[in-house]
Amino acid sequence: MSNSLTGAAIVGGVCGQPIKHSMSPVIHNAWIAAAGLDAAYVPFAPAADRFETFIDGLRGGAVRGLNVTIPFKERALAAADTASDLARMAGAANLLLFGDDGRIHADNTDGPGLLGAIAVQTPGFDVTAAPLVILGAGGAARGAVAALLLAGAPEVSVVNRTVARARDLADAFGEKVLAHGEDSLPDLLRRAGLVINATSLGLGGDAGPAADLTLTPESAVVMDMVYKPLRTEFLRRAQAAGRRTVDGLEMLLRQAIPTFEAIYGQAPSSAVDVRSLALKLLGEA
Ligand code: ATR
């Protein structure tokens, strides 16, 4: 972070509970330092029952913009006066922007992050060209479905242990989104263009979803939204089967780019190797 903040500094931040393991402050402050901006990016951890009071207090310019993470993303959308299409479709916001007029606008840069990670790590892959399979039906899955539909995905199958939850998600999106239980997975995998793990399975080195990735077409891409560890068992199995993969860390890094632009009004410097910074924080480098 810059050591020479003035009274005119632009302040942004991230809000979650807990927040101390967030990588966002390191990433954004590295970009701020590289650009020599009079600005700061600060972590906040309001008490869970005081989130709305905290956000309300920021109206009218205390901070320019705020990333929002677990467990506040749905409540962030509800706390805003206006919202982007993507935030509304995702049912969640990871970015709140505070206007001088006291109004709050909700956005969702996780979607661009997901699409950006796919574009960077599997160049040439076309999300409009084949059926997509999302494992999981929680908030992460809903955000992925919203982003993929807005990008033109023709058909998205949501597979979840609790089928009723997959059905609720599918009902919220309409006919392009289909709900399935885990027993349909082999058939879905055989025709999948893209398979995304949006469950919490694999976190901390667990085995990950039980999907047999050898069933997928050779051209299929496999993505994991889990990034701790970076190479999850799910991605290892995909690579062992010869499939191209996309990791969750790239999604996290890619969502930070439009976030930085929205808060600080300029693109972050590509000269900063934020992936190496993040890998160090994860203990992977
Ligand atoms: P998030 O908001 O991060 O998506 P979530 O809403 O808690 O988190 O969703 C977690 C997802 O992981 C759900 O799809 C959950 O399946 P259920 O809806 O059946 O609970 C899935 N998940 C978690 N543990 C699982 C397990 N042991 N086996 C299968 N799916 C699991």
Side-chain angles (χ1 to χ4, degrees):
M1 193 193 302
S2 163
N3 287 323
S4 54
L5 292 177
T6 75
I10 300 173
V11 181
V14 59
C15 162
Q17 183 60 265
I19 201 63
K20 70 175 175 215
H21 299 295
S22 171
M23 291 196 276
S24 295
V26 173
I27 293 166
H28 286 280
N29 285 311
W31 281 332
I32 286 170
L37 292 180
D38 184 13
Y41 184 97
V42 187
F44 296 102
D49 62 347
R50 292 188 186 268
F51 173 76
E52 285 75 15
T53 313
F54 169 70
I55 294 299
D56 213 43
L58 301 178
R59 284 183 188 273
V63 303
R64 176 87 56 91
L66 193 67
N67 269 138
V68 181
T69 187
I70 293 168
F72 298 130
K73 288 185 182 185
E74 285 85 3
R75 286 162 69 185
L77 177 65
D81 302 298
T82 56
S84 67
D85 287 348
L86 187 54
R88 235 177 287 117
M89 280 175 76
N94 77 325
L95 178 63
L96 294 176
L97 296 170
F98 297 87
D100 292 337
D101 58 359
R103 290 168 71 79
I104 303 174
H105 180 70
D107 206 343
N108 189 314
T109 59
D110 288 333
L114 181 136
L115 298 170
I118 292 170
V120 164
Q121 294 196 333
T122 54
F125 179 77
D126 181 1
V127 298
T128 69
L132 312 181
V133 176
I134 309 282
L135 308 178
R142 183 171 170 153
V145 171
L148 292 163
L149 284 181
L150 280 180
E155 180 190 308
V156 183
S157 289
V158 174
V159 179
N160 200 42
R161 173 180 62 178
T162 312
V163 193
R165 230 178 146 197
R167 253 186 236 121
D168 285 349
L169 199 159
D171 288 349
F173 283 105
E175 60 195 19
K176 288 184 182 168
V177 182
L178 309 168
H180 296 274
E182 288 171 334
D183 50 346
S184 310
L185 198 50
D187 285 343
L188 293 170
L189 290 175
R190 283 188 188 96
R191 48 193 284 274
L194 172 67
V195 184
I196 301 180
N197 175 31
T199 72
S200 44
L201 293 172
L203 204 63
D206 298 348
D212 179 358
L213 298 170
T214 64
L215 296 175
T216 57
E218 279 180 17
S219 59
V221 164
V222 176
M223 174 171 184
D224 203 334
M225 290 172 77
V226 171
Y227 62 85
K228 281 181 197 171
L230 178 67
R231 284 221 182 290
T232 58
E233 279 304 310
F234 188 66
L235 290 185
R236 279 182 205 278
R237 281 178 5 236
Q239 285 165 358
R243 304 297 175 262
R244 291 194 295 165
T245 58
V246 179
D247 63 59
L249 179 62
E250 197 61 32
M251 175 173 166
L252 181 82
L253 297 174
R254 293 278 142 193
Q255 68 73 30
I257 296 172
T259 296
F260 188 88
E261 288 171 357
I263 299 177
Y264 301 106
Q266 60 179 263
S269 165
S270 53
V272 182
D273 185 354
V274 284
R275 192 167 166 99
S276 292
L277 275 178
L279 288 173
K280 252 183 232 149
L281 288 174
L282 286 172
E284 300 258 3

